[in-house]
Amino acid sequence: MQTVQLSEQVSFSRIVHGMWRLREWGMDKQELLRLIEECLEMGITTFDHADIYGDYSCEALFGQALREKPALRSAMQIVTKCGIKLRSAAYPEHLVNHYDTSKEHIIRSVENSLRHFGTDYVDTLLIHRPDPFMDPAEVAEAFAQLKQEGKVLEFGVSNFLPSQMEMLASYLSMPLVTNQLEISVMQFEHFEKGTIEKCQEKRIAPMAWSPLAGGSIFSASTERATRVKNTLEEIKEEIGADSIDEVMYAWLLAHPAKMMPIVGSGKIERVRTAAQAVKLTLSRQQWFRIYISSLGHNVP
Amino acid sequence: MQTVQLSEQVSFSRIVHGMWRLREWGMDKQELLRLIEECLEMGITTFDHADIYGDYSCEALFGQALREKPALRSAMQIVTKCGIKLRSAAYPEHLVNHYDTSKEHIIRSVENSLRHFGTDYVDTLLIHRPDPFMDPAEVAEAFAQLKQEGKVLEFGVSNFLPSQMEMLASYLSMPLVTNQLEISVMQFEHFEKGTIEKCQEKRIAPMAWSPLAGGSIFSASTERATRVKNTLEEIKEEIGADSIDEVMYAWLLAHPAKMMPIVGSGKIERVRTAAQAVKLTLSRQQWFRIYISSLGHNVP
Amino acid sequence: MQTVQLSEQVSFSRIVHGMWRLREWGMDKQELLRLIEECLEMGITTFDHADIYGDYSCEALFGQALREKPALRSAMQIVTKCGIKLRSAAYPEHLVNHYDTSKEHIIRSVENSLRHFGTDYVDTLLIHRPDPFMDPAEVAEAFAQLKQEGKVLEFGVSNFLPSQMEMLASYLSMPLVTNQLEISVMQFEHFEKGTIEKCQEKRIAPMAWSPLAGGSIFSASTERATRVKNTLEEIKEEIGADSIDEVMYAWLLAHPAKMMPIVGSGKIERVRTAAQAVKLTLSRQQWFRIYISSLGHNVP
């Protein structure tokens, strides 16, 4: 498995495993431990979390499995996020979903994450969403303190537009190392808004969430999805892939921005699909055939 | 009253008084003088003008009052603007409303403003609107000359988008110290277009015009306005404010960008409402409840 | 004829001649040579090409004429473009129109262009379209090699938005010297998206393609076109122009960004129209009257 070097200290595996739905998988800690070990064997060493996943439960579930085999910690990279406050039985004081990027909340959230994971550091912390009420000076203070204390090695963002990346970066004493974005054959927002270009400009590799477009291709319930599915099927044949999933991953992996797709599945065979896609090669023209079928018109 | 330091030389009061509608108030110069003195007593020391306000009449009306008590000049900051040419009986050669940011017009406009005010400097001059026909090198020359002559202490812009701020700034020998923007619980354009973030990135505090959303909340004639009004009423109770106006000001004042609301009223009790809002505290969640009620959907 | 200095080495004539439709003109090489010489006599010394014009044929047609009088080469500037791969009988392997900004393709495309023109350098090479699959590091390598070999003097882009200009520029060892954009009295996209401002910020003069709005003004088949045509007619009378074409060119030429309109006609009298427009002066208000008639509403 290829890796992507995000900084001197931190490299991610090209395919990242995402724990967004961990709670829904209903695994016990042995089953989860096995999933983790199988990922690691495939070279998928980076695990993506957030404080809020599974109604604030996924980090702790992961931590319980990890406690079974603490030696695994040093073989993996843990990414987590903070900054969203969800309505939740655990937080009755949250009347609405909102954001909190105050210094106090960021630090407390990381401390909770560390306790849940049973580890003394996370490899990378992301601000989960751009916050219209952000005080970037506070974020910078929180990051500096967390780095100084060794609780977080590197920092990034998620779903940030270019202007938001620039604004936050202008306050930080360290570079942002990634921006986790929704990108797929059905989701071009960050091509259109210049976010992928801004990542290239800043020499940072984006992580890609929902890389399979949330299943919309499989159901093919729109004209667009049908069109894209047909093109994926054609190219699957041409390159000898096993499934159109592989082609969708390959489409992301082929891009020069060094996108890191996040596989969000608890089924090891689905994880394997992503890992296999790393070996596929897509020609420039194949990449554009998919792009154009999704656009619905020729490029100008 | 808090102040906001815009530069070494210039600080504004956190609440600014706006003279946009001065002519409509129908005050004589003693009445206006009294309004000005009452503002100053409350700590509202910054007065916002433009050459064109009141069909090119407001600066002179203000100047007439000021001439009654010239000692007040040094206790206040005068902001004015230029760059728009309005159709007006005074300027029959203006066939259409248009912009003029030529060196000649900027300098002449400031000289007119100084004569109207009866003062030898304005604290801050703003380019009123982004001008698609701008020659930024000419603006830079005008600014440099006005600064050198002591006629203008600092320079800013109004209604400029991020790209327009960057473009003009790249030509100037001094920093832009503010961007006067329409921002309110009903007007999120500059959240959406990144202008507020650009101000934060550049460490400049925006002025907020139409901070009460032009009365649309009071009439509550749309579903959105009704929704926002209801939330404002709730929060008014929670924080013990006297009116939803105060809450609307507090919503702006709470923001980390250090927004400076412009009160555009000739009624001193309305000005007092804004001044009182400075003492209110809005929690992050209260800020978001207003934001979300105006958005009409949850944050993602 | 005015010139615009793009770099120490390269200046363009204010009016550029565009060879987009050269094949359609059906000229033999003597006729084309005569057109070229007449342009040069008028001071129109810059000729705009692209590899793909005329289904990959125009560069060679131009080269055939130039071979008749090789001494003309040093009296002109040749601009060409690469990066688009069109479906074409000449390239049956192109299944869809797509982009290719790989190092290999850029270099091969320039070498083809040089062979077609029968010259050993082009004055300026443009990347024809922003490429969502661009590896800017490869573009930078290609540019560096082409410059080092003396095959291309300067580099630019075409149809690039601000974010795309910034991204590519961040990889290059030389400045971009122009951005060729669609700009006309009917096409304000690059006013709205900040591209013209970005050119001003970067001190680069844009080239303007389709400066006569593709004939939409003449047919006046929309309300907007009729409105603009009427305003152009009025101003034609006011400034003593011979045609509304001249006024459309003058509208571009008056802009402080130093726009360089591209005349795409094989009829010398039409080229002369553009050359004459350089002598016209449009007042700021006349510029805005046209702008406003095209906007369809007053400026705010």
Side-chain angles (χ1 to χ4, degrees):
Chain A
M1 173 69 58
Q2 305 164 15
T3 60
V4 177
Q5 188 160 0
L6 273 70
S7 74
E8 232 175 89
Q9 284 188 81
V10 174
S11 293
F12 285 1
S13 52
R14 192 65 198 273
I15 301 292
V16 171
H17 192 281
M19 292 290 171
W20 179 34
R21 292 187 159 157
L22 168 54
R23 192 173 62 161
E24 298 171 33
W25 302 334
M27 293 178 171
D28 65 27
K29 58 188 173 183
Q30 289 304 330
E31 288 168 325
L32 177 56
L33 182 61
R34 181 147 169 218
L35 177 69
I36 294 169
E37 291 193 284
E38 288 178 315
C39 284
L40 293 173
E41 281 158 28
M42 275 183 245
I44 297 177
T45 59
T46 305
F47 296 91
D48 183 67
H49 289 267
D51 58 340
I52 59 169
Y53 286 169
D55 191 24
Y56 294 94
S57 71
C58 292
E59 291 182 332
L61 292 172
F62 190 87
Q64 284 163 24
L66 198 54
R67 279 180 179 85
E68 296 295 301
K69 211 161 175 182
L72 296 184
R73 176 64 188 95
S74 64
M76 66 173 58
Q77 302 81 45
I78 295 177
V79 180
T80 195
K81 314 186 191 76
C82 68
I84 300 179
K85 284 184 164 173
L86 285 188
R87 295 187 65 183
S88 166
Y91 294 95
E93 69 274 25
H94 298 178
L95 303 178
V96 291
N97 293 355
H98 62 287
Y99 303 139
D100 187 345
T101 53
S102 65
K103 179 178 177 184
E104 188 190 355
H105 178 67
I106 291 171
I107 289 175
R108 194 190 313 148
S109 184
V110 168
E111 286 169 354
N112 285 339
S113 296
L114 294 178
R115 197 164 48 247
H116 294 146
F117 288 128
T119 182
D120 52 6
Y121 71 101
V122 294
D123 295 83
T124 302
L125 176 74
L126 312 182
I127 299 294
H128 206 149
R129 289 269 173 193
D131 173 6
F133 197 71
M134 182 181 286
D135 183 343
E138 285 207 26
V139 178
E141 282 182 39
F143 282 9
Q145 181 176 324
L146 289 166
K147 194 174 179 73
Q148 197 271 327
E149 295 173 351
K151 290 175 180 165
V152 177
L153 302 187
E154 303 291 353
F155 300 86
V157 292
S158 185
N159 305 301
F160 271 48
L161 295 177
S163 60
Q164 296 156 345
M165 295 170 67
E166 290 284 8
M167 190 272 272
L168 180 54
S170 79
Y171 283 82
L172 300 180
S173 54
M174 71 285 282
L176 295 169
V177 301
T178 191
N179 189 358
Q180 186 174 122
L181 301 167
E182 187 183 2
I183 320 173
S184 73
V185 297
M186 292 292 281
Q187 178 49 275
F188 291 177
E189 179 186 358
H190 295 294
F191 285 101
E192 291 154 7
K193 294 188 173 165
T195 325
I196 293 167
E197 288 156 354
K198 182 57 75 177
C199 289
Q200 291 181 289
E201 183 187 326
K202 296 298 175 189
R203 277 69 168 166
I204 70 179
M207 306 172 79
W209 64 266
S210 205
L212 301 181
S216 62
I217 293 289
F218 300 100
S219 57
S221 58
T222 64
E223 211 182 309
R224 184 185 175 204
T226 306
R227 216 168 44 221
V228 173
K229 190 180 184 186
N230 290 341
T231 307
L232 292 169
E233 295 280 5
E234 273 175 40
I235 291 174
K236 182 190 80 153
E237 296 304 317
E238 293 170 16
I239 64 175
D242 289 332
S243 66
I244 61 171
D245 291 38
E246 284 188 18
V247 184
M248 283 192 272
Y249 286 121
W251 187 85
L252 292 168
L253 292 163
H255 193 278
K258 294 211 182 96
M259 297 173 182
M260 297 174 282
I262 301 173
V263 191
S265 178
K267 297 190 180 149
I268 197 65
E269 61 274 26
R270 292 193 156 247
V271 179
R272 209 174 303 279
T273 295
Q276 278 164 355
V278 175
K279 292 168 207 148
L280 292 173
T281 304
L282 221 56
S283 75
R284 192 173 297 266
Q285 191 166 211
Q286 285 164 334
W287 192 91
F288 271 99
R289 282 162 60 202
I290 295 167
Y291 180 74
I292 290 164
S293 72
S294 183
L295 277 182
H297 57 77
N298 281 325
V299 295
Chain B
M1 173 69 58
Q2 306 165 12
T3 59
V4 177
Q5 189 162 0
L6 273 70
S7 75
E8 231 174 273
Q9 284 188 80
V10 175
S11 293
F12 284 2
S13 52
R14 192 65 198 274
I15 302 292
V16 172
H17 192 280
M19 292 291 172
W20 179 35
R21 292 188 157 155
L22 169 52
R23 192 173 62 161
E24 299 170 33
W25 302 333
M27 294 177 169
D28 65 27
K29 58 188 173 184
Q30 289 304 331
E31 288 168 324
L32 177 56
L33 182 62
R34 181 149 167 215
L35 177 70
I36 294 169
E37 291 193 284
E38 287 178 315
C39 284
L40 293 174
E41 280 159 28
M42 275 183 244
I44 297 177
T45 59
T46 306
F47 296 90
D48 182 66
H49 288 267
D51 57 342
I52 59 168
Y53 286 169
D55 191 24
Y56 294 93
S57 71
C58 293
E59 291 181 332
L61 291 171
F62 190 89
Q64 283 163 26
L66 199 51
R67 277 178 180 85
E68 297 295 301
K69 209 161 177 181
L72 296 183
R73 176 64 188 95
S74 63
M76 66 173 58
Q77 302 80 44
I78 295 177
V79 179
T80 196
K81 313 188 192 77
C82 67
I84 300 179
K85 283 185 164 172
L86 285 188
R87 294 187 67 184
S88 166
Y91 294 95
E93 68 274 26
H94 298 179
L95 302 178
V96 291
N97 292 354
H98 63 285
Y99 302 140
D100 188 345
T101 54
S102 65
K103 179 178 179 185
E104 187 190 355
H105 177 67
I106 292 171
I107 289 175
R108 193 189 314 147
S109 184
V110 169
E111 286 169 353
N112 285 338
S113 295
L114 294 179
R115 196 164 49 246
H116 294 145
F117 288 128
T119 183
D120 52 5
Y121 72 100
V122 295
D123 296 83
T124 302
L125 175 73
L126 311 182
I127 299 293
H128 207 149
R129 290 270 174 191
D131 173 5
F133 197 70
M134 182 182 286
D135 183 342
E138 284 207 28
V139 177
E141 282 182 38
F143 282 9
Q145 180 176 326
L146 290 165
K147 193 173 179 75
Q148 198 270 327
E149 294 173 350
K151 291 175 179 165
V152 177
L153 302 188
E154 303 292 353
F155 300 86
V157 291
S158 185
N159 305 300
F160 271 47
L161 295 178
S163 59
Q164 295 155 346
M165 294 169 67
E166 289 284 5
M167 191 272 273
L168 179 55
S170 79
Y171 283 83
L172 300 180
S173 53
M174 70 285 282
L176 294 169
V177 301
T178 190
N179 189 358
Q180 186 175 123
L181 301 167
E182 187 182 3
I183 319 174
S184 74
V185 296
M186 292 293 280
Q187 178 49 276
F188 290 178
E189 178 185 359
H190 295 294
F191 285 100
E192 291 153 10
K193 295 189 173 165
T195 325
I196 293 167
E197 288 157 352
K198 181 57 76 177
C199 289
Q200 291 181 289
E201 182 187 326
K202 297 297 174 188
R203 277 69 168 167
I204 70 179
M207 305 171 80
W209 64 266
S210 205
L212 300 181
S216 62
I217 293 288
F218 299 101
S219 57
S221 58
T222 65
E223 211 182 309
R224 184 184 175 205
T226 306
R227 217 168 43 220
V228 174
K229 189 179 183 184
N230 290 341
T231 306
L232 292 169
E233 296 280 6
E234 274 176 40
I235 291 174
K236 182 191 79 151
E237 296 303 319
E238 294 170 15
I239 64 175
D242 289 332
S243 65
I244 60 172
D245 291 39
E246 283 188 18
V247 184
M248 284 192 271
Y249 287 121
W251 187 84
L252 292 168
L253 292 163
H255 194 280
K258 293 211 183 96
M259 295 172 184
M260 297 173 283
I262 301 173
V263 192
S265 178
K267 296 189 180 150
I268 196 65
E269 61 274 25
R270 292 192 155 248
V271 179
R272 207 173 305 279
T273 296
Q276 277 163 356
V278 175
K279 292 169 208 147
L280 293 173
T281 304
L282 221 55
S283 74
R284 191 174 300 266
Q285 190 166 211
Q286 285 164 334
W287 193 91
F288 271 98
R289 282 163 59 202
I290 295 168
Y291 180 74
I292 290 165
S293 73
S294 184
L295 276 183
H297 57 78
N298 280 327
V299 296
Chain C
M1 172 69 59
Q2 306 165 14
T3 61
V4 177
Q5 187 160 1
L6 274 69
S7 74
E8 232 174 272
Q9 285 188 81
V10 175
S11 293
F12 285 0
S13 52
R14 193 64 198 273
I15 301 291
V16 172
H17 192 281
M19 292 291 172
W20 179 34
R21 292 187 157 156
L22 168 53
R23 192 173 62 161
E24 298 170 33
W25 302 334
M27 293 178 171
D28 64 27
K29 59 188 172 183
Q30 289 305 328
E31 288 168 325
L32 177 55
L33 183 61
R34 180 147 168 217
L35 177 69
I36 294 170
E37 292 193 283
E38 287 178 316
C39 283
L40 293 173
E41 280 159 28
M42 275 184 245
I44 297 178
T45 59
T46 306
F47 295 91
D48 182 65
H49 288 267
D51 57 341
I52 58 168
Y53 286 169
D55 191 24
Y56 293 95
S57 71
C58 292
E59 291 181 332
L61 292 172
F62 190 88
Q64 284 163 26
L66 198 53
R67 278 179 179 86
E68 297 296 301
K69 210 161 178 180
L72 296 183
R73 176 65 188 96
S74 62
M76 66 172 58
Q77 302 81 44
I78 295 177
V79 180
T80 195
K81 315 187 190 76
C82 68
I84 300 180
K85 284 184 164 173
L86 285 188
R87 294 187 66 184
S88 166
Y91 294 95
E93 69 273 25
H94 297 178
L95 303 178
V96 291
N97 293 355
H98 62 286
Y99 302 140
D100 187 346
T101 53
S102 65
K103 179 179 178 185
E104 188 190 356
H105 177 68
I106 292 171
I107 289 175
R108 193 190 312 147
S109 184
V110 169
E111 286 169 354
N112 285 338
S113 296
L114 295 179
R115 198 162 49 246
H116 293 146
F117 288 128
T119 182
D120 52 6
Y121 71 100
V122 294
D123 295 83
T124 301
L125 176 74
L126 312 182
I127 299 293
H128 206 148
R129 289 270 173 194
D131 173 5
F133 197 70
M134 182 182 286
D135 183 343
E138 285 207 28
V139 177
E141 283 182 37
F143 282 9
Q145 181 176 325
L146 290 166
K147 193 174 180 74
Q148 196 272 324
E149 295 173 350
K151 290 175 180 166
V152 178
L153 302 188
E154 302 292 353
F155 300 86
V157 292
S158 185
N159 306 300
F160 272 47
L161 295 177
S163 60
Q164 296 156 345
M165 293 170 68
E166 288 284 8
M167 190 272 272
L168 179 55
S170 79
Y171 283 83
L172 300 179
S173 52
M174 71 284 282
L176 295 169
V177 300
T178 191
N179 190 358
Q180 186 174 123
L181 300 167
E182 187 182 3
I183 320 172
S184 73
V185 296
M186 292 293 281
Q187 178 48 277
F188 291 178
E189 179 186 359
H190 295 293
F191 284 101
E192 290 154 8
K193 294 188 173 165
T195 324
I196 294 167
E197 288 156 353
K198 182 57 74 176
C199 289
Q200 290 181 289
E201 182 187 327
K202 296 299 174 188
R203 278 67 168 166
I204 70 179
M207 305 171 80
W209 64 265
S210 206
L212 300 181
S216 63
I217 293 290
F218 299 101
S219 58
S221 58
T222 65
E223 211 181 309
R224 183 183 176 207
T226 306
R227 216 168 44 219
V228 174
K229 189 179 185 186
N230 289 341
T231 307
L232 293 169
E233 296 280 6
E234 273 175 41
I235 292 174
K236 182 190 79 150
E237 297 304 318
E238 294 169 14
I239 64 176
D242 288 332
S243 66
I244 60 171
D245 292 38
E246 284 188 19
V247 184
M248 284 192 271
Y249 286 121
W251 187 85
L252 293 168
L253 292 163
H255 194 278
K258 294 211 182 97
M259 296 172 183
M260 297 174 282
I262 302 174
V263 192
S265 178
K267 297 191 179 147
I268 196 65
E269 62 273 25
R270 291 193 156 248
V271 179
R272 207 174 304 278
T273 295
Q276 278 164 356
V278 175
K279 293 168 207 149
L280 293 173
T281 303
L282 221 56
S283 75
R284 191 175 298 267
Q285 190 166 212
Q286 286 164 332
W287 192 92
F288 271 98
R289 281 162 61 202
I290 295 168
Y291 179 75
I292 290 165
S293 72
S294 184
L295 276 183
H297 57 77
N298 280 326
V299 296

